[in-house]
Amino acid sequence: MHGPNGALIASNDNWKESPQRSQIEGTVFQPEDDRESVIVATLPPAAYTVILKGVGQTTGIGLVEVYDNNQTVDSDLANISTRGFVLTGDNVMIGGFTLGGNDNPTRMAARALGPSLNGSGLGNVLADPTLELHNADGTIMVSNDDWQSDPVSAAQLTANGLALPNPKESGIFMSLVPPGQFTAIVAGKNGGIGIALVEIYNLR
């Protein structure tokens, strides 16, 4: 886990070897496998980065989860995002999130970036990302390819400072989303592959 200036805050390999083991063991955050990693942290409002990688430069599919562990505190996760390599079939990029804590509907946005990542010095980016938002039943609630193709959603994204840098990138704006579990799926149009970034915003 890194702070807003990039400094390392905490790290873990094998949760039972963590000094925080007593805070993890027996809770819902205890992993099923001893080789998996957990970090517990109390953080002031800011932007943070969690980096997941394999020991010994090994590769494979991994899952990063972020939980608000004290919902009585007057703070919210405002934005979560994940960067990864998008393949095809079961190896597309999946960003899951839960809207909850109360019964009030939420304004939210999701974005899928690919070609504009070239500006960050990345190569082999996803040239034309597509984006789908699924509910807990797996039903597609809304989908998008080229964020400006939906003028209403595009206007709301722009009004909230979330206009995408490239017309080939995808964006979704939804108002009054009910509490529940959702999944944002990023794929490449026509089977394209490459590095992409999925972002999910809580706009309240």
Side-chain angles (χ1 to χ4, degrees), residues 45-194:
Y48 298 90
T49 303
V50 175
I51 298 176
L52 171 66
K53 56 185 178 181
V55 172
Q57 303 301 314
T58 53
T59 61
I61 296 172
L63 176 66
V64 175
E65 300 177 325
V66 180
Y67 294 89
D68 179 356
N69 200 23
N70 188 353
Q71 297 185 12
T72 62
V73 175
D74 187 20
S75 62
D76 291 309
L77 283 172
N79 161 240
I80 55 174
S81 61
T82 299
R83 191 187 78 192
F85 200 91
V86 178
L87 296 171
T88 59
D90 293 336
N91 296 316
V92 294
M93 182 182 292
I94 301 173
F97 62 100
T98 301
L99 295 176
N102 55 57
D103 295 327
N104 297 325
T106 302
R107 297 166 66 243
M108 59 83 56
R111 308 198 312 170
L113 289 78
S116 64
L117 299 179
N118 275 320
S120 301
L122 296 173
N124 202 15
V125 299
L126 190 63
D128 193 350
T130 64
L131 180 62
E132 296 177 349
L133 184 65
H134 296 243
N135 63 16
D137 297 325
T139 302
I140 298 176
M141 301 174 65
V142 62
S143 63
N144 179 252
D145 173 32
D146 302 342
W147 70 281
Q148 293 172 319
S149 63
D150 182 339
V152 175
S153 178
Q156 290 290 346
L157 289 168
T158 301
N160 285 277
L162 297 174
L164 284 106
N166 190 288
K168 286 294 183 183
E169 295 174 328
S170 301
I172 290 170
F173 174 90
M174 293 189 69
S175 61
L176 306 181
V177 182
Q181 296 177 326
F182 303 89
T183 305
I185 297 179
V186 180
K189 188 173 183 179
N190 299 323
I193 63 172

Side-chain angles (χ1 to χ4, degrees), residues 12 14-16 18 20-42 63-71 77 98:
N12 177 244
N14 303 333
W15 71 272
K16 282 189 174 180
S18 167
Q20 299 177 321
R21 175 175 174 173
S22 62
Q23 297 175 259
I24 300 165
E25 197 160 23
T27 71
V28 296
F29 308 115
Q30 178 180 326
E32 296 181 6
D33 193 295
D34 293 350
R35 294 168 294 180
E36 295 175 329
S37 303
V38 180
I39 294 172
V40 180
T42 300
L63 176 66
V64 175
E65 300 177 325
V66 180
Y67 294 89
D68 179 356
N69 200 23
N70 188 353
Q71 297 185 12
L77 283 172
T98 301

